[in-house]
Amino acid sequence: MAEVTTEYLKSIVFQLNDEEYAMPVDLVGSIERMMHITRIPGAAPFVKGVLNLRGVVTPIIDLRTRFGFESVDYSESTRTIIIHHNNMDVGLIVDAAYDVIDIPKDRLEPAPEIVGSVSIEYIDGVAKHDDRLLILLNIDKVLADEALASKTAFQDKQV
Amino acid sequence: MEMNEYLDVFIEESKEHIQSLNDQLLLLEKDPENLDIVSEIFRSAHTLKGMSATMGFQDLAELTHIMENVLDAVRNHQLTLTPEIIDVVFNAVDALESMVLDIIDGGEGKKDVSDLIKQLEAIENGELVGETKSVHPATSSINTTINVNQDLDQFELAVLQQSQEKGFKNYQITVQLQETCLLKAARVYMVFEILEQIGEVIKSTPTVTELEDENFEYDFSVILVANDTPEAIQQKVMKVSEIDQVQINEVELGNQSTTDVSEEVTPQKGKEEDTSKKEASKSQLTSKTIRVNIERLDALMNLFEELVIDRGRLEQISSSLRDNELQETVEHMSRISGDLQNIILNMRMVPIDQVFNRFPRMVRQLAKDLDKKIDLQIYGADTELDRTVIDEIGDPLVHLIRNALDHGIETPDVRKQKGKPEEGILKLNAYHSGNHVFIEISDNGAGIDRDKVVNKAISNGVITQEQGQTYTDNQVYQLILESGFSTADKISDISGRGVGLDVVKNTIESLGGSITIDSTFNEGSTFLIQLPLTLSIISVMLTEVQEEKYAIPLSSIIETAIVHKKDIMRAHNKQVIDFRGKVVPLVSLQHVFDVPGEPNDEEYYSVVIIRQGDKMAGLIVDTFIGQHEVVLKSLGNYLTDIFAISGATILGDGQVALIVDTNALIK
């Protein structure tokens, strides 16, 4: 598979707990500043609630809580990345989102046993890019939760 | 490209015609002597044939054509209807339907129908001895006099015969256009105009539509009924420029015996009257209704929803600004948009008949498969429901009906033993009540065996032994809606695989409705479905609990009350109040929804009394904000199964408020 032309993975880079993460840009619908979030009683703890995204009620996940990091107050740089995945619109709260870069696909490596602080199951791989270490998130795993039992996502996973 | 536009219309209309075929056939089955029904079926088939031929769906056209022949024979007393014939026609309609479905799915509507055609032809020929002769030689005699390569159908033949009787002449005119002719369609139009002045055009090959689309080489032929001589016609037609030649042949219909013709003529007249009547009523209809693509209605609805949100916002602004002029304008706008809302919602209302109409056919088939005798009675088919509800309710109803037929109504033998009439009754009843629509499915079959359900529930671990004894009948019946529950002794492919009734329950609840079961052993069961009128815009009571806002659907609220702390009593470790002589349990929303903040310790509680069926509950909130019209939005695919929340809405200030699912709180 030694291709001459290198394929790139266009990714959004965002910051979480002083580490840099990446996810494919085609998943991303938009990046929003913080808005008023309505709490959903009884939802999983990492589900912050829902917000009104131009008329669409969109659930919001706090990635810090999701990965078990200590939660911090939202700041000027806090962003919500709205992604569209498996017919679901979900927003992810991150510390900052600032970059779109092309990661050469041949630079992707499987995740080593210990990478940063995120448990390995949420990670698709890592990539070194200009002295930066980017952690690629596995969105399926991030969204999936047994307690949520989102049926469609669950079935997809089993296939 | 333009075909697509027609295709939509074609699909819509074919569906209607197939539905009407089904309906009428069912009627005919009950009343085989009624020739009016046959005529009705014939007309539907005929239109369907014309439409599908125009659209180029050959198989469809062919099958309808042969079906039409059989029907025509019936109508003209050449054939007596037998149940077998009706069955074959039913099968043909099924095949038609599957072809139309294929077309809807983007296919070409192709299907091997040769078997059915053979069957139909056999019916047509096999039973048509004697009298067939009068028709068939006629066709062949045409073939010999002139080279009519188009197949004249019975109707056209009859018209030709009739006109011949009256002393008119039938001509086949073949017009050849010059190969240099540029605007073929225009020339064709001119020729037709002339021909129509002379007499009546019965048929044209290719069809008029094809001619208009210039979908032909350089010649076309028509069959004309006229009084003029061939020469006169030829001269007149040749006046149109760019015409190469005009060939006129007289069509001889052969030696028909007069008695045969008169027999043909009488029903013919009736039919012509019918057709004209139908056309009249059709034109009346078209002047009053238009077809609108449902997507456009949805788009309109979405836009209007946005407007409702802005209206809420404007109302808030104007009440805070206290500017008289602004307030007046906003009030006026609110009234107008209220009217607009009614109109839009009504536009989306469709009679439940759209769902019910497929059941007679289904029940007939099931009854046959199961060897049971069923009398299906449908009431309130004109009850209107929002389209979104209609779309969803079909499958659950199908399930319940299958269930009633399979497990409810017994076989004729068993019914006889029980001293019941052999024919079981399945009753479908729809009606409005308040802001809800109720659908009742009742049968006079075996009813639910309480003990069987209890034993099954205990063995499945759904309930405990003690519960089984203390449960009321209604609670027990409700158990059959739980998942993995089938009390049928034998599993059939109609129902009873243990998946099903729980799906029905889920679907209905996801629509904001509920289902209850009433049953008497050996006398029958009734499933009562309660549904909201519309799913998109609802009236709610907006309340505040600490910092959070919750909307409670007005349809489930009886009233609001301020209750003094000392009026709250305790029973079974629960807070209850005495509300107009009834003991009503209290539910604290702050507690249920874990709302952060100190519980308020005031003297008075604000309570919203809600009702579900005959059960009531009081929801404790902090403040009542007021009544609002809100747009119901779903929480999306990610958040499913949130307890006691049925959806969300966007308030005037852009924030999201959650809508409380009162049903969940009462249970």
Side-chain angles (χ1 to χ4, degrees):
Chain A
M1 287 292 280
E3 301 256 329
V4 186
T5 48
T6 328
E7 280 186 65
Y8 291 95
L9 187 69
K10 213 178 219 350
S11 308
I12 293 253
V13 176
F14 58 88
Q15 200 181 36
L16 200 65
N17 206 20
D18 295 329
E19 287 163 350
E20 283 189 310
Y21 292 82
M23 70 181 147
V25 81
D26 28 320
L27 284 178
V28 179
S30 62
I31 297 178
E32 308 285 334
R33 287 174 179 278
M34 290 310 289
M35 291 184 265
H36 181 271
I37 294 179
T38 303
R39 190 183 64 94
I40 302 279
F46 58 84
V47 175
K48 268 286 159 218
V50 289
L51 56 74
N52 164 22
L53 186 75
R54 290 175 282 278
V56 179
V57 176
T58 314
I60 302 298
I61 290 175
D62 189 326
L63 277 192
R64 275 184 166 271
T65 328
R66 181 65 175 130
F67 295 149
F69 300 157
E70 148 203 31
S71 33
V72 291
D73 285 341
Y74 298 140
S75 71
E76 261 303 291
S77 65
T78 308
R79 292 288 182 275
T80 309
I81 303 179
I82 310 291
I83 57 167
H84 189 78
H85 183 62
N86 274 349
N87 278 327
M88 294 184 289
D89 284 319
V90 180
L92 305 174
I93 299 179
V94 299
D95 290 352
Y98 39 73
D99 213 352
V100 176
I101 56 170
D102 289 322
I103 305 175
K105 280 203 172 154
D106 52 8
R107 303 282 286 279
L108 291 180
E109 291 164 32
E113 267 313 303
I114 292 163
V115 143
S117 30
V118 172
S119 143
I120 192 160
E121 55 176 313
Y122 301 125
I123 294 171
D124 256 354
V126 292
K128 272 182 91 176
H129 184 81
D130 300 344
D131 294 336
R132 293 152 78 182
L133 184 72
L134 300 175
I135 305 168
L136 261 93
L137 281 188
N138 180 335
I139 293 301
D140 270 325
K141 297 274 168 55
V142 172
L143 296 188
D145 182 78
E146 293 63 43
L148 275 172
S150 170
K151 282 168 197 155
T152 48
F154 192 63
Q155 278 161 3
D156 285 348
K157 235 173 33 178
Q158 286 185 324
V159 171
Chain B
M1 301 293 127
E2 277 183 36
M3 239 9 195
N4 281 334
E5 239 170 82
Y6 296 119
L7 194 60
D8 286 347
V9 179
F10 168 76
I11 287 171
E12 274 308 306
E13 292 194 350
S14 327
K15 279 203 266 182
E16 274 168 30
H17 283 297
I18 287 173
Q19 184 57 49
S20 124
L21 283 174
N22 268 328
D23 290 350
Q24 299 293 338
L25 277 172
L26 284 167
L27 287 179
L28 187 65
E29 195 173 33
K30 285 187 190 138
D31 186 7
E33 298 295 307
N34 193 336
L35 288 183
D36 287 346
I37 302 177
V38 181
S39 301
E40 193 67 40
I41 299 172
F42 180 83
R43 269 201 298 276
S44 285
H46 187 72
T47 323
L48 196 59
K49 180 183 89 178
M51 289 190 319
S52 40
T54 319
M55 296 297 292
F57 298 120
Q58 279 315 318
D59 287 351
L60 204 60
E62 207 176 318
L63 186 56
T64 27
H65 175 69
I66 192 87
M67 199 168 102
E68 204 184 297
N69 285 351
V70 172
L71 291 168
D72 197 51
V74 173
R75 201 174 50 165
N76 293 333
H77 304 281
Q78 291 162 342
L79 197 62
T80 345
L81 271 179
T82 58
E84 290 76 35
I85 296 183
I86 292 187
D87 275 349
V88 174
V89 178
F90 261 128
N91 289 340
V93 174
D94 275 349
L96 290 178
E97 192 169 4
S98 66
M99 284 190 256
V100 171
L101 286 178
D102 181 47
I103 294 168
I104 294 173
D105 290 339
E108 291 174 6
K110 287 208 188 303
K111 189 181 163 87
D112 184 16
V113 286
S114 48
D115 273 1
L116 272 169
I117 289 183
K118 262 184 219 144
Q119 275 178 308
L120 285 166
E121 268 170 353
I123 292 171
E124 194 196 357
N125 296 328
E127 316 241 7
L128 271 180
V129 233
E131 278 167 293
T132 344
K133 281 178 194 149
S134 63
V135 181
H136 281 271
T139 330
S140 60
S141 72
I142 293 175
N143 284 341
T144 48
T145 2
I146 48 160
N147 286 326
V148 190
N149 51 356
Q150 67 256 65
D151 47 333
L152 290 170
D153 65 27
Q154 305 267 339
F155 174 67
E156 288 155 355
L157 266 181
V159 172
L160 291 183
Q161 277 169 9
Q162 200 184 349
S163 64
Q164 202 173 356
E165 275 295 295
K166 289 188 178 159
F168 287 95
K169 294 210 172 69
N170 303 323
Y171 298 110
Q172 192 205 30
I173 304 173
T174 310
V175 180
Q176 173 97 33
L177 296 176
Q178 286 171 3
E179 293 193 10
T180 50
C181 176
L182 285 176
L183 294 165
K184 292 195 284 182
R187 297 299 166 208
V188 171
Y189 175 74
M190 290 163 85
V191 171
F192 268 79
E193 202 173 41
I194 290 174
L195 291 179
E196 266 154 17
Q197 278 166 10
I198 306 172
E200 200 180 340
V201 177
I202 304 297
K203 185 184 178 91
S204 83
T205 327
T207 61
V208 178
T209 344
E210 280 170 315
L211 288 173
E212 279 172 1
D213 291 344
E214 300 200 349
N215 205 354
F216 64 108
E217 287 291 308
Y218 291 97
D219 58 333
F220 62 95
S221 67
V222 296
I223 293 198
L224 180 78
V225 176
N227 232 343
D228 296 20
T229 59
E231 292 74 27
I233 298 173
Q234 189 169 23
Q235 271 180 2
K236 283 181 185 164
V237 175
M238 284 302 276
K239 280 191 185 144
V240 179
S241 45
E242 291 190 308
I243 286 187
D244 212 20
Q245 57 166 326
V246 179
Q247 219 176 46
I248 300 182
N249 293 315
E250 199 168 323
V251 179
E252 289 292 339
L253 281 175
N255 30 5
Q256 296 260 321
S257 70
T258 26
T259 42
D260 260 348
V261 175
S262 67
E263 250 184 27
E264 292 273 19
V265 170
T266 3
Q268 209 50 59
K269 270 187 186 156
K271 186 207 167 180
E272 267 172 353
E273 275 167 29
D274 276 355
T275 341
S276 60
K277 241 193 274 167
K278 195 198 172 192
E279 262 156 22
S281 66
K282 227 185 189 172
S283 62
Q284 237 180 4
L285 274 180
T286 42
S287 67
K288 280 184 182 167
T289 64
I290 54 166
R291 260 174 219 278
V292 182
N293 190 327
I294 205 76
E295 279 168 23
R296 288 197 191 172
L297 278 188
D298 284 345
L300 181 66
M301 190 68 192
N302 282 339
L303 287 176
F304 185 73
E305 286 175 357
E306 299 284 314
L307 202 63
V308 169
I309 294 170
D310 287 344
R311 179 181 76 188
R313 178 83 182 124
L314 270 179
E315 279 168 353
Q316 258 183 16
I317 295 174
S318 84
S319 68
S320 65
L321 284 183
R322 292 174 191 285
D323 179 285
N324 258 346
E325 262 183 276
L326 178 68
Q327 258 169 357
E328 263 173 44
T329 322
V330 169
E331 262 168 39
H332 185 243
M333 204 197 83
S334 302
R335 267 202 302 279
I336 301 270
S337 69
D339 290 349
L340 194 60
Q341 178 180 329
N342 278 337
I343 292 174
I344 293 180
L345 286 182
N346 275 329
M347 240 162 42
R348 293 162 53 94
M349 298 287 255
V350 273
I352 198 161
D353 188 43
Q354 284 204 357
V355 180
F356 280 6
N357 62 18
R358 57 174 144 141
F359 294 150
R361 184 64 213 286
M362 190 185 94
V363 169
R364 174 187 184 272
Q365 192 61 44
L366 282 176
K368 271 208 162 150
D369 293 350
L370 293 165
D371 266 333
K372 291 182 180 176
K373 288 188 181 162
I374 313 281
D375 176 19
L376 176 69
Q377 301 174 354
I378 293 182
Y379 302 95
D382 53 351
T383 310
E384 287 190 327
L385 261 167
D386 192 280
R387 206 203 93 240
T388 37
V389 187
I390 293 269
D391 285 350
E392 299 290 326
I393 197 64
D395 288 344
L397 286 181
V398 167
H399 220 105
L400 289 175
I401 291 176
R402 280 165 171 262
N403 197 60
L405 289 189
D406 202 9
H407 306 316
I409 294 175
E410 314 92 328
T411 52
D413 297 348
V414 178
R415 289 183 69 86
K416 240 197 217 155
Q417 281 169 19
K418 288 182 179 172
K420 294 194 213 175
E422 277 185 32
E423 195 177 52
I425 296 173
L426 180 68
K427 209 166 78 177
L428 268 178
N429 189 9
Y431 52 92
H432 280 275
S433 174
N435 236 344
H436 291 275
V437 173
F438 291 87
I439 304 172
E440 238 176 56
I441 300 153
S442 46
D443 64 69
N444 63 353
I448 298 170
D449 187 340
R450 188 200 150 107
D451 295 337
K452 210 158 146 190
V453 175
V454 170
N455 289 337
K456 177 90 182 191
I458 293 171
S459 72
N460 278 6
V462 181
I463 54 170
T464 62
Q465 199 89 34
E466 295 83 56
Q467 276 174 320
Q469 277 157 10
T470 53
Y471 265 27
T472 65
D473 282 356
N474 270 326
Q475 279 171 313
V476 171
Y477 301 150
Q478 215 67 28
L479 283 176
I480 67 169
L481 299 174
E482 298 301 323
S483 59
F485 212 96
S486 176
T487 55
D489 299 323
K490 79 172 182 256
I491 287 170
S492 67
D493 60 344
I494 289 170
S495 58
R497 269 158 298 176
V499 284
L501 284 181
D502 59 317
V503 179
V504 171
K505 187 183 173 198
N506 284 343
T507 315
I508 289 169
E509 282 180 353
S510 72
L511 290 172
S514 61
I515 175 168
T516 47
I517 305 170
D518 196 18
S519 179
T520 317
F521 190 49
N522 271 338
E523 279 177 30
S525 338
T526 302
F527 289 75
L528 182 67
I529 300 172
Q530 180 186 355
L531 291 167
L533 264 186
T534 172
L535 292 179
S536 20
I537 296 186
I538 59 170
S539 293
V540 295
M541 167 69 122
L542 213 54
T543 63
E544 206 166 23
V545 180
Q546 299 290 351
E547 298 287 291
E548 299 183 355
K549 289 184 180 121
Y550 289 93
I552 303 168
L554 219 54
S555 54
S556 52
I557 297 180
I558 304 177
E559 61 178 277
T560 56
I562 306 289
V563 178
H564 196 273
K565 219 174 175 179
K566 69 173 171 31
D567 290 336
I568 295 178
M569 301 166 284
R570 299 191 79 81
H572 292 295
N573 219 6
K574 272 184 184 163
Q575 293 186 311
V576 294
I577 50 166
D578 177 19
F579 177 72
R580 301 190 196 284
K582 273 187 133 181
V583 176
V584 174
L586 286 183
V587 179
S588 160
L589 277 195
Q590 176 164 17
H591 181 70
V592 172
F593 291 140
D594 283 325
V595 183
E598 286 298 304
N600 75 353
D601 228 11
E602 286 167 39
E603 284 286 286
Y604 292 92
Y605 284 132
S606 304
V607 177
V608 182
I609 313 281
I610 54 169
R611 182 184 57 183
Q612 155 70 27
D614 48 2
K615 286 181 241 166
M616 297 203 278
L619 306 182
I620 305 176
V621 298
D622 288 353
T623 0
F624 306 130
I625 298 176
Q627 183 186 333
H628 282 259
E629 299 268 297
V630 298
V631 180
L632 189 63
K633 305 238 175 199
S634 93
L635 286 178
N637 291 333
Y638 187 59
L639 294 170
T640 51
D641 291 339
I642 297 293
F643 175 72
I645 298 291
S646 62
T649 185
I650 295 168
L651 299 178
D653 59 5
Q655 293 188 8
V656 180
L658 300 180
I659 296 171
V660 179
D661 176 9
T662 52
N663 292 355
L665 290 179
I666 284 182
K667 266 171 225 162

